[in-house]
Amino acid sequence: MADQGRNGEKCGPRAIILARLLRLLCEEGILEPSRKSPVVRFQHPDKLQEILSLEPEAQGVHMNEILHLCHDIVKYSVQTCHPHFKNQLYGGIDPYGLAGAWLAEALNTNIHTYEVAPVFVLVECAVLRHVLNIAGFPNGDGIFAPGGSMSNMYGMVLARYKAVPDSKMKGLSGLPPLVAFTSEDGHYSVKKAAHWLGIGTENVVAVKTDSHGRMMPSRLTCCIQQAIAEGKKPFFVSATAGTTVLGAFDPLEQIADICHQYGLWLHVDACWGGTLMLSKKHCHCLKGLERADSVAWNPHKMLGAPLQCALFLTKEKGLMHHCNSASASYLFQQDKFYDVSFDTGDKSVQCGRKVDAFKLWLMWKAHGSNGFESLINNAMDASRYFKEAIQVQPGFRLVLDEFECTNVCFWFIPPSLRGQEENDEWWNKIHTVAPKIKERLILSGTLMIGYQPLPHKGLRNFFRFVTSCHPPPTYADMDHVWQEIERLGADLW
Ligand SMILES: *Cc1c(COP(=O)(O)O)cnc(C)c1O
């Protein structure tokens, strides 16, 4: 039994479903959705459950039925590769990244030992080496982690091990409380890490940011001194390179000076903004990165690697191994016949681990560093265009005059609210505009874009627009965004 594909290619019975599924994905234009097709066909959960047959049954179903189900799954899923999906910091995927994901999945490789993953261990080493050099850690170490939140946790664990080496074996009892610092615009995963590591969320100090969302170094110093005065033990600063909402880059050099002065570990959460490392034009945003002790970067965001693809890098070789190893004797035997330093899995907190590095590696091979740079510069340029386009529209108001990373944050002011006194009542109305427009956008399927308030800055709900590398954004796509918001917000309130 063999399936004769369209181009005459043959595959065995176990692979037929793949050939069929690939055909379905191509026919549905998953990687290249038409701009006229909806980004989402929204249904409320009860209705969607009715439409889809979700319960597994005793009797397996025929292949055609499986394909029918897959068709519906695709139909009601959000089309993240659509040019008008601007909802999150991830979006469309790089086709080579997807090819890499499929290849790695098909081989079902577990990247803990060289024995079972010879090629992929070397691929991961090569990608890490390359990125370590770009980040300015030529003698560093790293790992692909299951997401940026985990990378931030890796940073905190290393910092804790460095500050209190006994913590690995004896735990934290009997020590003064450890205190971590990040900015009030930093990512919430730093708090989660503090919870999971027994440090406690109250021991994560949120350092004030300036009007652009950048950590204020003078405030960091005050916070450190205050913690010391309270008898606590500062150990970790997580600076952010590209904050999630405003896209702000903390001043790394000044923060590095402070960390040096107080002997604190400097971690840089570059999950979002780290991609700018790869562009000569924009890498100045990350100035001082090489002075960090560790860095988190998510190629699965701006660069368009398929989820998940997240790197954790650290300056000191060997530290990850000392900190995280458990030397399981059934896996990491030291009497193997090959160089066991390539059994890199013990520096991970995981046992089994996917080969996320391969997706980035295949993308890098296909585009080259120059190709990445053009994709990044194009995304940044599209954001600049968008910012300048809405700046001259009467109904739009920027949250910040400048934009950093690709984030452009703005309010839409409906015609009925223009030219009025901007008192609390007015702002209360503006606060409801973004959620209402968002609802209309989703129900019409023409655009997905994020919104949020920033309570610590006293900012009511505003839209956050971001671009990423895939699909390469065009000026027409940018115009579509503000025009849709204007169209669906014109009659409010
Ligand atoms: C997205 C993001 C994270 C978390 O990354 P995940 O891969 O979603 O866990 C951390 N920090 C920043 C600044 C982010 O934007």
Side-chain angles (χ1 to χ4, degrees), residues 89-90 145-152 185-190 240-245 269-273 296 298 300-301 307-310 464:
L89 302 183
Y90 66 88
S149 301
M150 286 298 297
S151 301
N152 287 343
D185 286 81
H187 194 260
Y188 64 85
S189 53
V190 177
T240 314
T243 59
T244 310
V245 176
D269 175 355
C271 284
W272 172 230
N298 283 0
H300 70 221
K301 285 185 166 167
L307 276 157
Q308 288 167 325
C309 189
R464 178 197 62 183

Side-chain angles (χ1 to χ4, degrees), residues 86 89 245-247 272 276 281-282 302 375-391 398 400-410 449 464-469 472-479 481-482:
K86 300 271 170 255
L89 302 183
V245 176
L246 297 175
W272 172 230
L276 299 188
K281 189 167 173 195
H282 298 291
M302 198 189 302
L375 286 164
I376 296 161
N377 291 350
N378 177 63
M380 287 291 277
D381 181 61
S383 277
R384 177 203 53 78
Y385 174 87
F386 179 77
K387 182 210 150 203
E388 290 172 3
I390 63 169
Q391 224 164 358
L398 291 169
L400 300 174
D401 301 338
E402 301 292 322
F403 74 101
E404 288 196 280
C405 226
T406 65
N407 308 45
V408 180
C409 295
F410 64 93
I449 182 169
R464 178 197 62 183
F465 170 83
V466 284
T467 54
S468 63
C469 293
T474 64
Y475 289 171
D477 295 330
M478 305 299 95
D479 288 334
V481 172
W482 67 261

